[in-house]
Amino acid sequence: MAKHDFDAVVVGSGPNGLSAAITLQRAGLSVLLLEGKSSIGGGMRSAELTLPGFVHDICSAVHPMAAGSPFFQALPLHDHGLEYIYPAASAAHPFNDGTAAVLRGSVEETAHLLGSDENAYASLMTPLVKTWKDIATDVLGPLHFPAHPIEMARFGWPALSSALRLAKRFRTKGARGLWSGMAAHSLQPLTNLSTSAIGLVLMTMSHLQGWPVVKGGTQKIADALAAYFISLGGKVETNVYVSSLAQLPSSPALLLDVTPRQLLQIAGHKFSALYKWQLQKYRYGAGVFKVDWALDAPIPFAAEACATAGTVHLGNTLEEIAYAEGLTAKGGHPDQPFVLLAQPSLFDPSRAPQGRHTAWAYCHVPNGSAVDMTEAIEKQVERFAPGFRERILARHTMNTAQVEDYNPNYIGGDINGGVIDIRQLFTRPALRSSPYRTSAKGIYICSSSTPPGGGVHGMCGYHAARRALKDVFHLLPLSL
Ligand SMILES: Cc1cc2nc3c(=O)[nH]c(=O)nc-3n(C[C@H](O)[C@H](O)[C@H](O)COP(=O)(O)OP(=O)(O)OC[C@H]3O[C@@H](n4cnc5c(N)ncnc54)[C@H](O)[C@@H]3O)c2cc1C
């Protein structure tokens, strides 16, 4: 092989860029990781967004996917400062009447709290929890013949159905509401096929290890991944925004933690007409409007169980949540949006000055929306936590343009790097023998625009790097 500056260059330091860089460096290659912003981390950064001493997670805050990631689990991240904190309950889902459904650690406990839906919940979740370890790398990877086809079919059958169809298993307000909040993480109308997949994965993660927050803030995941990469001999440079291949040092392999739109800008001239056309047809999904608060006390939720949960889903019934998500998909802005809220300082006192608290929330909005949803989000919190507004010391908000400005991968505010629907679930960003390989030799895409999609888990980066190791370096890295 001709002499190059590096064996591989990775552009973008989100969880997937960092995971790709680590996988390549662990295989003995020399790797340079470039980041356009002044600090590493992509969707894993934390900062004092409101007042001094209040540490907010700018993007991701709750980490079932990171704690459950087969790739992250294989790394010594604890040795590099990563510590998860597990709230007693993963999520709470309050209702108008002051009660709440709760996603707990075990299937039995969660099912028991669902009254007459106890058996329906247990019969749905028990088989998935039992077989997850056999199917995890198949579910969290590209489309291929699974190692455990029967177990995979047992997951795939309910996962491919729409959330509303799967909800027919449940009769109680509690189970139906809890389920719709889980499925609404899909950022799609709950009538869409495969909107059950993310809900099932998130509930499985709760029953296997929980939904942790990170001690000190999500930034610590980025810092631990970067510290481990550097300890292996990897190099990191920040403030290098890549808009052209000409900016890059020479390397036989280039992995880009970017979405198809940037991929086309950077390397489009190298691609076949077919691949370019496929990337141009790639679809981005709904965006988010995000609020962070500094509070002088915990959020006063009416339902006591909310104080035990790191995440609280605000949307009341399945019908209300389905309406809000459906309206958003049609370009509307619901008066009562489905709000995903996290309260990390309840479990991690290092996030705020003594006695004070932080809270994090977002709702879904149409891609590119300029509407300020602060009032609608705060009204929704107040609805389930009367007196909330009086607790606010300061707030920081981001609309879709600000989210994209903060991170160029969040096109129009889409935090998943493109719609994760049935058509883009396994074939993102394009239908190819390997979704990570572009049509240009040595150039790979490794962001959440590849399988398995959004979330902090690093599995896209891991799979893309494995592809590059096989194609370019003829190395066969060990499986997880
Ligand atoms: C408000 C919000 C809340 C979220 N909540 C959660 C959550 O609680 N749990 C969870 O698991 N996930 C959550 N996510 C989603 C999660 O953050 C993303 O899915 C994940 O970060 C995607 O990882 P990635 O590596 O593909 O890309 P990113 O994390 O987006 O990283 C891409 C990096 O590449 C850099 N980059 C892009 N283009 C270039 C270029 N041309 N040159 C140089 N650098 C470039 C960017 O600056 C960025 O640092 C949330 C996201 C947001 C915005």
Side-chain angles (χ1 to χ4, degrees):
M1 207 175 264
K3 189 86 185 96
H4 289 281
D5 297 325
F6 292 90
D7 293 323
V9 172
V10 178
V11 174
S13 68
N16 291 310
L18 279 158
S19 297
I22 288 170
T23 306
L24 297 164
Q25 189 75 40
R26 286 217 305 180
L29 305 183
S30 66
V31 183
L32 172 67
L33 176 63
L34 298 173
E35 167 55 49
K37 299 285 178 178
S38 58
S39 64
I40 53 119
M44 303 183 292
R45 299 191 191 97
S46 309
E48 291 183 343
L49 295 175
T50 54
L51 298 172
F54 290 82
V55 177
H56 301 276
D57 291 329
I58 304 170
C59 301
S60 65
V62 185
H63 293 291
M65 302 307 292
S69 162
F71 179 65
F72 286 1
Q73 284 172 354
L75 307 180
L77 298 180
H78 185 74
D79 299 346
H80 292 279
L82 176 61
E83 230 178 287
Y84 292 121
I85 298 174
Y86 291 89
S90 298
H93 188 115
F95 295 98
N96 272 352
D97 60 7
T99 63
V102 188
L103 179 68
R104 306 268 319 177
S106 77
V107 174
E108 294 73 23
E109 270 180 291
T110 306
H112 186 64
L113 293 169
L114 295 174
S116 60
D117 274 323
E118 179 169 0
N119 289 341
Y121 187 84
S123 65
L124 174 67
M125 293 311 299
T126 304
L128 301 186
V129 172
K130 278 197 178 138
T131 54
W132 180 256
K133 72 171 179 7
D134 294 330
I135 62 171
T137 34
D138 287 329
V139 175
L140 301 174
L143 191 60
H144 61 286
F145 192 77
H148 297 87
I150 294 170
E151 289 77 6
M152 191 64 181
R154 214 173 276 151
F155 169 78
W157 187 245
L160 289 176
S161 71
S162 79
L164 285 193
R165 189 182 167 81
L166 193 143
K168 291 190 176 143
R169 291 167 178 249
F170 302 123
R171 310 223 165 279
T172 60
K173 176 187 72 183
R176 286 161 59 81
L178 184 68
W179 166 245
S180 61
M182 296 294 146
H185 281 253
S186 63
L187 265 99
Q188 294 172 60
L190 302 188
T191 45
N192 276 13
L193 280 178
S194 80
T195 39
S196 292
I198 184 69
L200 292 173
V201 170
L202 289 174
M203 294 189 322
T204 303
M205 291 298 115
S206 174
H207 300 318
L208 284 172
Q209 89 275 315
W211 290 15
V213 295
V214 176
K215 187 170 179 189
T218 295
Q219 179 76 50
K220 301 280 183 190
I221 306 182
D223 293 348
L225 287 166
Y228 177 53
F229 172 60
I230 291 166
S231 77
L232 296 171
K235 292 201 166 38
V236 180
E237 281 179 31
T238 53
N239 287 315
V240 185
Y241 188 80
V242 176
S243 43
S244 150
L245 294 179
Q247 288 170 256
L248 300 172
S250 67
S251 66
L254 171 64
L255 286 85
L256 296 146
D257 184 8
V258 304
T259 83
R261 196 171 295 176
Q262 300 117 291
L263 184 64
L264 278 166
Q265 281 159 5
I266 297 169
H269 60 287
K270 292 268 187 185
F271 297 154
S272 69
L274 172 65
Y275 188 61
K276 267 204 277 197
W277 177 80
Q278 287 178 308
L279 294 183
Q280 281 155 359
K281 305 267 291 179
Y282 187 74
R283 289 167 301 122
Y284 293 93
V288 300
F289 186 95
K290 164 99 190 307
V291 193
D292 286 282
W293 296 282
L295 305 169
D296 69 3
I299 302 177
F301 282 111
E304 274 176 27
C306 294
T308 65
T311 299
V312 185
H313 287 159
L314 304 173
N316 202 33
T317 59
L318 172 144
E319 287 74 18
E320 269 190 45
I321 292 172
Y323 172 76
E325 295 303 292
L327 184 67
T328 304
K330 288 190 198 126
H333 296 80
D335 294 336
Q336 294 188 315
F338 171 60
V339 174
L340 300 94
L341 182 144
Q343 37 188 10
S345 60
L346 277 189
F347 311 96
D348 176 10
S350 77
R351 303 290 189 103
Q354 202 181 1
R356 307 287 162 121
H357 286 273
T358 60
W360 162 114
Y362 68 88
C363 73
H364 303 151
V365 289
N367 191 285
S369 162
V371 174
D372 185 340
M373 296 296 283
T374 311
E375 176 65 16
I377 290 177
E378 290 187 356
K379 258 169 111 179
Q380 198 67 319
V381 185
E382 184 78 27
R383 177 180 172 194
F384 300 99
F388 164 69
R389 283 178 197 275
E390 284 108 78
R391 306 272 68 87
I392 300 173
L393 298 171
R395 69 171 69 71
H396 174 273
T397 65
M398 284 196 289
N399 65 19
T400 61
Q402 289 160 327
V403 168
E404 181 175 336
D405 189 48
Y406 173 72
N407 183 339
N409 279 24
Y410 299 145
I411 308 280
D414 176 351
I415 65 174
N416 280 332
V419 186
I420 311 187
D421 63 5
I422 191 86
R423 281 161 54 207
Q424 287 193 162
L425 187 60
F426 291 111
T427 57
R428 53 203 290 114
L431 181 59
R432 298 178 63 73
S433 58
S434 165
Y436 310 101
R437 214 188 255 145
T438 70
S439 66
K441 193 165 175 241
I443 302 182
Y444 296 82
I445 175 168
C446 67
S447 71
S448 63
S449 303
T450 64
V456 173
H457 44 65
M459 294 301 289
C460 312
Y462 163 72
H463 286 296
R466 276 173 61 88
R467 187 72 262 159
L469 284 172
K470 282 185 201 160
D471 290 354
V472 182
F473 303 99
H474 311 295
L475 291 170
L476 285 176
L478 290 175
S479 305
L480 294 172

PDB file of all heavy atoms in Angstrom, residues 355-369:
ATOM      1  N   GLY A 355     -29.500  21.886  46.472  1.00  0.00           N
ATOM      2  CA  GLY A 355     -30.930  22.193  46.599  1.00  0.00           C
ATOM      3  C   GLY A 355     -31.575  22.652  45.300  1.00  0.00           C
ATOM      4  O   GLY A 355     -32.792  22.760  45.213  1.00  0.00           O
ATOM      5  N   ARG A 356     -30.770  22.976  44.313  1.00  0.00           N
ATOM      6  CA  ARG A 356     -31.294  23.451  43.019  1.00  0.00           C
ATOM      7  C   ARG A 356     -31.350  22.281  42.039  1.00  0.00           C
ATOM      8  O   ARG A 356     -30.744  21.239  42.291  1.00  0.00           O
ATOM      9  CB  ARG A 356     -30.410  24.567  42.454  1.00  0.00           C
ATOM     10  CG  ARG A 356     -30.172  25.715  43.410  1.00  0.00           C
ATOM     11  CD  ARG A 356     -31.441  26.512  43.523  1.00  0.00           C
ATOM     12  NE  ARG A 356     -31.448  27.365  44.701  1.00  0.00           N
ATOM     13  CZ  ARG A 356     -31.576  28.691  44.652  1.00  0.00           C
ATOM     14  NH1 ARG A 356     -31.655  29.294  43.500  1.00  0.00           N
ATOM     15  NH2 ARG A 356     -31.637  29.389  45.761  1.00  0.00           N
ATOM     16  N   HIS A 357     -32.015  22.480  40.907  1.00  0.00           N
ATOM     17  CA  HIS A 357     -32.194  21.372  39.965  1.00  0.00           C
ATOM     18  C   HIS A 357     -32.130  21.824  38.510  1.00  0.00           C
ATOM     19  O   HIS A 357     -32.283  22.999  38.209  1.00  0.00           O
ATOM     20  CB  HIS A 357     -33.529  20.660  40.245  1.00  0.00           C
ATOM     21  CG  HIS A 357     -33.440  19.825  41.482  1.00  0.00           C
ATOM     22  ND1 HIS A 357     -32.993  18.535  41.469  1.00  0.00           N
ATOM     23  CD2 HIS A 357     -33.669  20.146  42.787  1.00  0.00           C
ATOM     24  CE1 HIS A 357     -32.968  18.068  42.711  1.00  0.00           C
ATOM     25  NE2 HIS A 357     -33.361  19.027  43.528  1.00  0.00           N
ATOM     26  N   THR A 358     -31.898  20.824  37.663  1.00  0.00           N
ATOM     27  CA  THR A 358     -31.968  21.065  36.216  1.00  0.00           C
ATOM     28  C   THR A 358     -33.096  20.195  35.653  1.00  0.00           C
ATOM     29  O   THR A 358     -33.409  19.143  36.214  1.00  0.00           O
ATOM     30  CB  THR A 358     -30.671  20.644  35.502  1.00  0.00           C
ATOM     31  OG1 THR A 358     -30.460  19.243  35.732  1.00  0.00           O
ATOM     32  CG2 THR A 358     -29.471  21.425  35.979  1.00  0.00           C
ATOM     33  N   ALA A 359     -33.687  20.630  34.568  1.00  0.00           N
ATOM     34  CA  ALA A 359     -34.610  19.756  33.827  1.00  0.00           C
ATOM     35  C   ALA A 359     -34.428  20.024  32.344  1.00  0.00           C
ATOM     36  O   ALA A 359     -33.998  21.126  31.941  1.00  0.00           O
ATOM     37  CB  ALA A 359     -36.048  19.994  34.254  1.00  0.00           C
ATOM     38  N   TRP A 360     -34.724  19.023  31.556  1.00  0.00           N
ATOM     39  CA  TRP A 360     -34.438  18.967  30.108  1.00  0.00           C
ATOM     40  C   TRP A 360     -35.709  18.476  29.451  1.00  0.00           C
ATOM     41  O   TRP A 360     -36.344  17.540  29.976  1.00  0.00           O
ATOM     42  CB  TRP A 360     -33.293  17.997  29.997  1.00  0.00           C
ATOM     43  CG  TRP A 360     -32.875  17.312  28.746  1.00  0.00           C
ATOM     44  CD1 TRP A 360     -31.687  17.498  28.076  1.00  0.00           C
ATOM     45  CD2 TRP A 360     -33.527  16.227  28.047  1.00  0.00           C
ATOM     46  NE1 TRP A 360     -31.581  16.609  27.024  1.00  0.00           N
ATOM     47  CE2 TRP A 360     -32.707  15.829  26.990  1.00  0.00           C
ATOM     48  CE3 TRP A 360     -34.743  15.564  28.220  1.00  0.00           C
ATOM     49  CZ2 TRP A 360     -33.043  14.813  26.097  1.00  0.00           C
ATOM     50  CZ3 TRP A 360     -35.083  14.544  27.339  1.00  0.00           C
ATOM     51  CH2 TRP A 360     -34.234  14.189  26.292  1.00  0.00           C
ATOM     52  N   ALA A 361     -36.140  19.092  28.379  1.00  0.00           N
ATOM     53  CA  ALA A 361     -37.364  18.591  27.723  1.00  0.00           C
ATOM     54  C   ALA A 361     -37.347  18.967  26.253  1.00  0.00           C
ATOM     55  O   ALA A 361     -36.700  19.946  25.851  1.00  0.00           O
ATOM     56  CB  ALA A 361     -38.608  19.187  28.378  1.00  0.00           C
ATOM     57  N   TYR A 362     -38.020  18.172  25.472  1.00  0.00           N
ATOM     58  CA  TYR A 362     -38.251  18.568  24.081  1.00  0.00           C
ATOM     59  C   TYR A 362     -39.573  18.016  23.609  1.00  0.00           C
ATOM     60  O   TYR A 362     -40.142  17.099  24.212  1.00  0.00           O
ATOM     61  CB  TYR A 362     -37.097  18.141  23.160  1.00  0.00           C
ATOM     62  CG  TYR A 362     -36.902  16.657  22.908  1.00  0.00           C
ATOM     63  CD1 TYR A 362     -37.569  16.016  21.873  1.00  0.00           C
ATOM     64  CD2 TYR A 362     -36.017  15.915  23.676  1.00  0.00           C
ATOM     65  CE1 TYR A 362     -37.360  14.661  21.624  1.00  0.00           C
ATOM     66  CE2 TYR A 362     -35.804  14.565  23.443  1.00  0.00           C
ATOM     67  CZ  TYR A 362     -36.483  13.944  22.402  1.00  0.00           C
ATOM     68  OH  TYR A 362     -36.282  12.620  22.155  1.00  0.00           O
ATOM     69  N   CYS A 363     -40.078  18.638  22.527  1.00  0.00           N
ATOM     70  CA  CYS A 363     -41.253  18.071  21.865  1.00  0.00           C
ATOM     71  C   CYS A 363     -40.949  18.017  20.378  1.00  0.00           C
ATOM     72  O   CYS A 363     -40.005  18.644  19.897  1.00  0.00           O
ATOM     73  CB  CYS A 363     -42.500  18.911  22.148  1.00  0.00           C
ATOM     74  SG  CYS A 363     -42.536  20.484  21.286  1.00  0.00           S
ATOM     75  N   HIS A 364     -41.738  17.238  19.667  1.00  0.00           N
ATOM     76  CA  HIS A 364     -41.538  17.086  18.227  1.00  0.00           C
ATOM     77  C   HIS A 364     -42.247  18.221  17.482  1.00  0.00           C
ATOM     78  O   HIS A 364     -43.343  18.637  17.878  1.00  0.00           O
ATOM     79  CB  HIS A 364     -42.086  15.725  17.758  1.00  0.00           C
ATOM     80  CG  HIS A 364     -41.444  14.579  18.484  1.00  0.00           C
ATOM     81  ND1 HIS A 364     -42.080  13.385  18.712  1.00  0.00           N
ATOM     82  CD2 HIS A 364     -40.223  14.467  19.051  1.00  0.00           C
ATOM     83  CE1 HIS A 364     -41.269  12.576  19.390  1.00  0.00           C
ATOM     84  NE2 HIS A 364     -40.136  13.214  19.603  1.00  0.00           N
ATOM     85  N   VAL A 365     -41.616  18.702  16.442  1.00  0.00           N
ATOM     86  CA  VAL A 365     -42.201  19.750  15.589  1.00  0.00           C
ATOM     87  C   VAL A 365     -41.897  19.384  14.134  1.00  0.00           C
ATOM     88  O   VAL A 365     -41.008  18.560  13.879  1.00  0.00           O
ATOM     89  CB  VAL A 365     -41.582  21.147  15.903  1.00  0.00           C
ATOM     90  CG1 VAL A 365     -42.033  21.672  17.255  1.00  0.00           C
ATOM     91  CG2 VAL A 365     -40.058  21.119  15.817  1.00  0.00           C
ATOM     92  N   PRO A 366     -42.606  19.979  13.178  1.00  0.00           N
ATOM     93  CA  PRO A 366     -42.289  19.673  11.777  1.00  0.00           C
ATOM     94  C   PRO A 366     -40.846  20.053  11.442  1.00  0.00           C
ATOM     95  O   PRO A 366     -40.309  21.008  12.023  1.00  0.00           O
ATOM     96  CB  PRO A 366     -43.279  20.543  11.008  1.00  0.00           C
ATOM     97  CG  PRO A 366     -44.392  20.809  11.962  1.00  0.00           C
ATOM     98  CD  PRO A 366     -43.767  20.870  13.323  1.00  0.00           C
ATOM     99  N   ASN A 367     -40.236  19.320  10.526  1.00  0.00           N
ATOM    100  CA  ASN A 367     -38.847  19.597  10.134  1.00  0.00           C
ATOM    101  C   ASN A 367     -38.718  21.059   9.705  1.00  0.00           C
ATOM    102  O   ASN A 367     -39.495  21.547   8.898  1.00  0.00           O
ATOM    103  CB  ASN A 367     -38.449  18.662   8.971  1.00  0.00           C
ATOM    104  CG  ASN A 367     -36.957  18.720   8.706  1.00  0.00           C
ATOM    105  OD1 ASN A 367     -36.444  19.679   8.138  1.00  0.00           O
ATOM    106  ND2 ASN A 367     -36.245  17.701   9.153  1.00  0.00           N
ATOM    107  N   GLY A 368     -37.737  21.761  10.275  1.00  0.00           N
ATOM    108  CA  GLY A 368     -37.476  23.153   9.903  1.00  0.00           C
ATOM    109  C   GLY A 368     -38.403  24.163  10.569  1.00  0.00           C
ATOM    110  O   GLY A 368     -38.307  25.363  10.303  1.00  0.00           O
ATOM    111  N   SER A 369     -39.285  23.728  11.466  1.00  0.00           N
ATOM    112  CA  SER A 369     -40.241  24.638  12.112  1.00  0.00           C
ATOM    113  C   SER A 369     -39.527  25.789  12.827  1.00  0.00           C
ATOM    114  O   SER A 369     -38.513  25.578  13.490  1.00  0.00           O
ATOM    115  CB  SER A 369     -41.068  23.862  13.140  1.00  0.00           C
ATOM    116  OG  SER A 369     -41.682  24.753  14.055  1.00  0.00           O
TER     117      SER A 369
END
